Amino acid sequence: SSAAIGCGYCRHPPKQGTAKMSGTTVATAPVAAKTCYETSLLCVFEAVSPYMWAYIGIAIALGVSVIGAAWGIFLTGSSIVGAGIKAPRISSKNLVSIIFCEAVAIYGVIIAIIMANKIEGAPMFDVPKVPTGWQAQTMVAGWCMFCVGLSVGLSNLVCGVCVGVSGSGCALGDAQRPELFVKMLIVEIFGSALGLFGVIVGIIQANGATFPKGPTA
């Protein structure tokens, strides 16, 4: 059964139709029940299975982190290759900027593994009209996992761009003045720490998501 298609609270009770003929009210057939997602966007989000939210969070945490890492490597790598033509000595030591960018993708992989290991499926899950017990706990866990994905993914995206831009400047500055390398490296280290902050907060958030095994758990 798919919770995104049918849920207990999405349907309004059918309304009894009436018709007036020559001053007399005559009962007609009941009007077809309307689903609340026809008029409420919030109802659409609530009707989605919590397992769907959880796996979307995993996809965001991993995918957006990889985008941030790739973006940073693109910025840094192009500068290292370009400046290395005139100053070949910078090509080796500036590879540390590439490592910092790659670490952003590793952060996303770590969080995705942690999130995936926390998901435990139930034999059947339908979004109830009034969630209680294990069903309410499952819905909260799904939303929590989605927020974990947003926290980690967005922080790693910004971190990757930050490290990439600073690493590009480090390579170009090192090509002109070698003494700038150590100073710019400190800037990169602090930029890389931004993604680590997101990972720490994501782990703390993920600890609050617990998927029960079902009604018999």
Side-chain angles (χ1 to χ4, degrees):
S1 60
S2 175
I5 298 176
C7 61
Y9 61 83
C10 288
R11 299 181 179 86
H12 298 297
K15 297 181 179 180
Q16 185 74 23
T18 58
K20 289 186 178 181
M21 299 178 60
S22 301
T24 304
T25 302
V26 180
T28 61
V31 181
K34 289 186 177 181
T35 53
C36 71
Y37 53 75
E38 295 179 1
T39 57
S40 173
L41 185 61
L42 180 61
C43 179
V44 176
F45 293 141
E46 291 177 345
V48 176
S49 171
Y51 295 100
M52 183 68 178
W53 286 119
Y55 283 109
I56 290 176
I58 294 174
I60 292 175
L62 179 60
V64 179
S65 297
V66 171
I67 291 175
W71 199 342
I73 293 174
F74 162 73
L75 295 172
T76 303
S78 58
S79 296
I80 293 175
V81 173
I85 296 175
K86 291 294 184 181
R89 59 178 177 79
I90 73 167
S91 300
S92 297
K93 62 181 179 180
N94 277 276
L95 289 178
V96 68
S97 302
I98 303 296
I99 296 175
F100 284 145
C101 293
E102 187 66 23
V104 174
I106 296 175
Y107 295 158
V109 172
I110 294 173
I111 288 296
I113 293 174
I114 293 175
M115 294 170 67
N117 288 334
K118 292 186 68 67
I119 298 178
E120 295 183 5
M124 179 184 297
F125 186 88
D126 288 319
V127 180
K129 183 177 181 180
V130 180
T132 57
W134 71 275
Q135 293 175 324
Q137 189 177 7
T138 302
M139 295 179 68
V140 172
W143 296 334
C144 180
M145 297 284 274
F146 177 73
C147 293
V148 171
L150 288 178
S151 300
V152 176
L154 294 178
S155 62
N156 284 339
L157 174 63
V158 178
C159 174
V161 175
C162 173
V163 175
V165 173
S166 60
S168 174
C170 179
L172 297 177
D174 185 28
Q176 295 294 325
R177 296 176 57 187
E179 64 272 12
L180 291 178
F181 176 76
V182 176
K183 298 180 178 64
M184 288 299 299
L185 186 62
I186 296 176
V187 175
E188 288 188 60
I189 292 174
F190 280 104
S192 180
L194 298 176
L196 188 59
F197 297 157
V199 172
I200 294 173
V201 173
I203 293 175
I204 296 174
Q205 286 179 303
N207 289 334
T210 302
F211 284 88
K213 296 182 179 180
T216 58

